[in-house]
Amino acid sequence: MMTTPYYLIDERKLLRNLKIIRRVRFLSGAKSLLALKCFATWAVFPLMRKYMDGTTSSSLFEARLGHEKFGGETHAYSVGYSREDVRAVSKFADKVIFNSISQLEAHCDLVKGLKLGLRVNPGFSYSHYDLADPARKYSRLGVINKAELMRASSLISGVMFHFNCENDDLENFSKNLGRISREYSSLLKKLEWVSLGGGLAFAKQGYPLEKFCKRLKQFSEEFGVQVYLEPGEAAITRCAELVTTVLDVVHNEIDIAIVDASIEAHMLDHLIYRTSPRISSPGQGKFKIMIAGRSCLAGDVFGQYCLNKKLKRGDIMRIADAAGYTMVKKNWFNGLSMPSIVVKRLNGTLEKVRSFGYKDYIASLS
Ligand SMILES: Cc1ncc(COP(=O)(O)O)c(C=O)c1O
């Protein structure tokens, strides 16, 4: 028995997504780079690297992790590089992607011989959340001015457009890709590669994968470019759980189960976006209960659920979809014990790949 709390990554479920990624590569020619901002648990990289082409990053450390632990192609993007960052990243990155023309011009002398790119803000996007909308008002993410982009085009070999967030609507994606094709056609014709970023829910059940691949291929052929995708969520969706134990059940008009984890510390995105995770076990039923975390934050609440049993102290509670934007964002708020990381390997064995203790907590402070 593993001690809770722990994140449990199931490699067989991961494999399901990875096979979809491989199929996209086969049918469309688009390469897929894992977006480390979403998932960087390198214990499963030996499996992932067989199906993906490399990694993309948002910082020097992520880029280095991608290079050292994943291998393949390393795309290094940052919203703001210092000269030291660029010097360091240039030692191992295959492509360095700048967020602005001023960053490109300030640092291109340090990255001679490397493939360079610029992030472009096309001015539109698909996102349900303002917080995650790269085209939001006053967005600092990417170059907007098309004339300046054309002027800088001699310095770059590719561009990155990230304009989706949890987009499962192929028609919308296709329409927006058409807009990009029209609005940037003279630039795209000069380039070798185009990254279409992440946020595409192509691993979702029922997603029209063949049509998606056809569309990507058409785009790639129209401009003679290598297309890249940067899946984060699509690579790891539905492959992990946060396994917790109920510590107490209190009552304040409703029953409230307190578990040995915290939404604030261990599944922060749900708190930020005001969403509730699914519970994978116990299953659904008629017993109403609120599931809450054990930090002292009043709003440390996973959600309200109807479960098939009345929860009591000692029960195991499994929270679904705990891979993306969880382990990369976990924190030491309240000094709560941090969930360990357990991998269920393809052969079914459980391997605890990391546990955290008091030493890690004090080492994170001084
Ligand atoms: C530039 C870029 N690429 C890739 C991703 C990964 O997106 P997702 O995890 O939604 O696929 C993001 C997410 O914010 C991003 O900003």
Side-chain angles (χ1 to χ4, degrees):
M1 268 286 278
M2 296 282 174
T3 319
T4 63
Y6 59 92
Y7 297 100
L8 174 64
I9 304 167
D10 186 330
E11 283 195 334
R12 284 185 205 162
K13 293 181 182 165
L14 178 60
L15 188 60
R16 196 180 48 198
N17 299 336
L18 294 173
K19 283 184 176 165
I20 294 175
I21 288 175
R22 183 174 63 183
R23 190 157 166 72
V24 169
R25 172 87 144 92
F26 176 73
L27 292 177
S28 73
K31 294 186 181 180
S32 277
L33 306 175
L34 176 65
L36 294 172
K37 73 190 75 186
C38 171
F39 182 81
T41 308
W42 43 273
V44 293
F45 284 1
L47 175 65
M48 298 186 87
R49 77 164 73 94
K50 291 186 193 157
Y51 296 83
M52 302 185 74
D53 297 277
T55 55
T56 185
S57 53
S58 311
S59 66
L60 170 60
F61 287 174
E62 271 191 2
R64 185 171 163 187
L65 175 81
H67 170 68
E68 289 179 2
K69 299 287 187 189
F70 200 107
E73 292 188 43
T74 303
H75 282 205
Y77 162 73
S78 170
V79 174
Y81 276 121
S82 67
R83 298 251 331 144
E84 294 68 40
D85 291 339
V86 178
R87 251 183 226 111
V89 107
S90 67
K91 300 217 163 67
F92 51 80
D94 297 280
K95 296 190 180 72
V96 180
I97 303 169
F98 292 99
N99 186 58
S100 66
I101 291 173
S102 46
Q103 280 259 301
L104 170 71
E105 288 176 344
H107 303 308
C108 61
D109 60 313
L110 297 175
V111 280
K112 287 210 175 83
L114 283 184
K115 293 198 172 193
L116 304 185
L118 274 169
R119 177 169 182 166
V120 181
N121 176 354
F124 54 83
S125 61
Y126 179 101
S127 173
H128 297 299
Y129 303 99
D130 182 55
L131 188 64
D133 182 356
R136 78 209 289 255
K137 195 166 170 61
Y138 307 127
S139 173
R140 71 203 187 293
L141 303 174
V143 181
I144 295 174
N145 189 306
K146 292 193 182 78
E148 282 178 18
L149 203 52
M150 274 312 269
R151 270 200 295 279
S153 63
S154 60
L155 294 172
I156 59 173
S157 59
V159 286
M160 185 259 277
F161 295 91
H162 171 71
F163 58 105
N164 292 285
C165 177
E166 294 178 14
N167 188 354
D168 59 0
D169 178 349
L170 176 60
E171 237 176 75
N172 169 279
F173 169 69
S174 183
K175 192 186 80 201
N176 281 341
L177 194 58
R179 222 172 134 180
I180 285 175
S181 306
R182 285 192 302 281
E183 294 182 15
Y184 295 91
S185 88
S186 34
L187 173 71
L188 296 175
K189 281 180 193 148
K190 297 171 100 183
L191 301 175
E192 288 169 26
W193 57 272
V194 175
S195 172
L196 298 174
L200 294 166
F202 62 82
K204 202 170 168 178
Q205 244 183 347
Y207 188 85
L209 203 70
E210 271 75 18
K211 278 192 190 157
F212 172 60
C213 293
K214 221 171 138 185
R215 188 68 182 90
L216 293 176
K217 195 162 185 221
Q218 185 192 32
F219 176 82
S220 156
E221 286 172 354
E222 183 176 355
F223 298 104
V225 289
Q226 171 63 56
V227 169
Y228 287 90
L229 301 174
E230 303 182 359
E233 199 58 54
I236 48 73
T237 184
R238 292 171 302 132
C239 82
E241 292 175 326
L242 175 59
V243 184
T244 69
T245 300
V246 176
L247 298 174
D248 196 7
V249 180
V250 296
H251 191 85
N252 180 3
E253 296 186 46
I254 54 169
D255 284 340
I256 305 158
I258 296 167
V259 297
D260 58 357
S262 156
I263 195 152
E264 161 92 7
H266 311 135
M267 285 192 117
L268 184 59
D269 262 20
H270 281 294
L271 196 64
I272 294 177
Y273 291 101
R274 300 189 173 278
T275 49
S276 274
R278 273 184 311 108
I279 302 296
S280 46
S281 168
Q284 286 181 20
K286 61 175 189 200
F287 296 100
K288 274 193 183 163
I289 193 145
M290 174 180 275
I291 310 284
R294 66 158 144 175
S295 82
C296 67
L297 179 75
D300 191 344
V301 171
F302 288 91
Q304 288 197 49
Y305 303 92
C306 287
L307 302 180
N308 63 14
K309 63 183 261 193
K310 233 174 145 59
L311 287 180
K312 57 176 191 328
R313 188 158 54 87
D315 282 344
I316 296 288
M317 239 268 318
R318 292 167 175 265
I319 302 167
D321 229 345
Y325 302 97
T326 54
M327 285 165 264
V328 290
K329 286 192 166 192
K330 61 188 166 32
N331 62 68
W332 285 109
F333 181 57
N334 268 202
L336 297 181
S337 51
M338 190 170 270
S340 33
I341 302 176
V342 177
V343 177
K344 188 172 182 192
R345 295 294 182 191
L346 288 179
N347 65 9
T349 56
L350 287 182
E351 193 184 325
K352 188 189 277 185
V353 295
R354 179 71 74 211
S355 53
F356 306 92
Y358 178 67
K359 273 192 185 156
D360 300 296
Y361 170 55
I362 53 167
S364 74
L365 299 162
S366 82

